[in-house]
Amino acid sequence: MKDIVRQKIGINVDVMDLLNEQISKEAHSAAVYLAMASWCDHNGLTNSAEFFYKQSAEEREHMLKIFNFINDNGGTAYSPEVNNINHEYNSLQEIFETALDQEIQITKSINNIVTRCRKVQDYGSENFLQWFVQEQMEEENQFRRILEMFDLMGTDGIALKFIDERIKHD
Ligand code: OFO
C-alpha cells in the first residue's frame, strides 16, 4: 500500500488486514449458526432453533461492528464470501460441541489480533477489540454450560426434550 494511503488510515494496515479476515470468520460463524438453526427446526427442537437464529444474528452484528470500525477509521472493509457450510449433523450434542469448538477458534483469532495490535502499538484497535475479548468469554461459557446438561442428563429422547426446553439465549 502507498505511503500516502497509509497516512489516511487511523489503524495499522496489518491490523486492518487481520480485521478483514475476522469479518470473514464472523460471517462464517453467522452462516454456520443459521444452518444449525435449520437442523434444530427440522428436528422439532424449537428452543434450540431459536437459540441459533439469535446466535446467528449476533454474529452478523459482530461482523458489522468490525466492518464499521474499519471504514470509520479510513480503512476499507471487504464484504466476505461465505462457503463450506455444513448442514449435516448427527445430534444436538454434536451441534453444541461444534459450536463451542468454533467459539474457541474465534477466541484464538481475536487474541491473535490483540497480540498484533500490541506489537505495532495500535492501541486504538486493541481498545476496540476488548469488547470482543469479553464477548468471547461469555459465549464460550454459555456453550460450556449447555454441554454440561448433556453430561448430566444424557442424550435419550426425554433428556433431549428436557434439554431443549431449558435452552435459552442469554
Ligand atoms: Fe462473534 O462472537 Fe463468538 O463467534
Side-chain angles (χ1 to χ4, degrees), residues 22 25-26 29-30 33 55 58-63 66 99 102-104 106-107 110 131-132 135-136 139-140 143:
Q22 191 64 33
K25 290 175 187 176
E26 301 291 342
S29 293
Y33 288 140
Q55 188 66 29
E58 254 190 24
E59 296 303 343
R60 189 166 191 281
E61 281 174 25
H62 297 170
M63 179 196 78
I66 302 171
Q102 176 168 281
E103 291 302 336
I104 290 170
I106 293 287
T107 300
I110 294 287
W131 183 89
F132 287 86
E135 175 73 8
Q136 282 310 117
E139 288 196 336
E140 281 192 30
F143 283 114

Side-chain angles (χ1 to χ4, degrees), residues 7-44:
Q7 285 164 18
K8 288 184 180 164
I9 300 177
I11 54 181
N12 177 273
V13 183
D14 294 336
V15 170
M16 183 180 78
D17 290 344
L18 290 177
L19 288 173
N20 263 312
E21 282 172 27
Q22 191 64 33
I23 285 174
S24 287
K25 290 175 187 176
E26 301 291 342
H28 187 263
S29 293
V32 167
Y33 288 140
L34 200 56
M36 289 175 171
S38 186
W39 187 96
C40 294
D41 238 347
H42 190 74
N43 285 280

Side-chain angles (χ1 to χ4, degrees), residues 14 20 42 50 69-70 76 97 109 126 128 149 160 163:
D14 294 336
N20 263 312
H42 190 74
E50 186 64 22
F69 176 76
I70 293 175
T76 304
E97 283 168 353
S109 180
E126 183 192 342
F128 164 74
M149 286 200 279
L160 196 61
I163 290 170

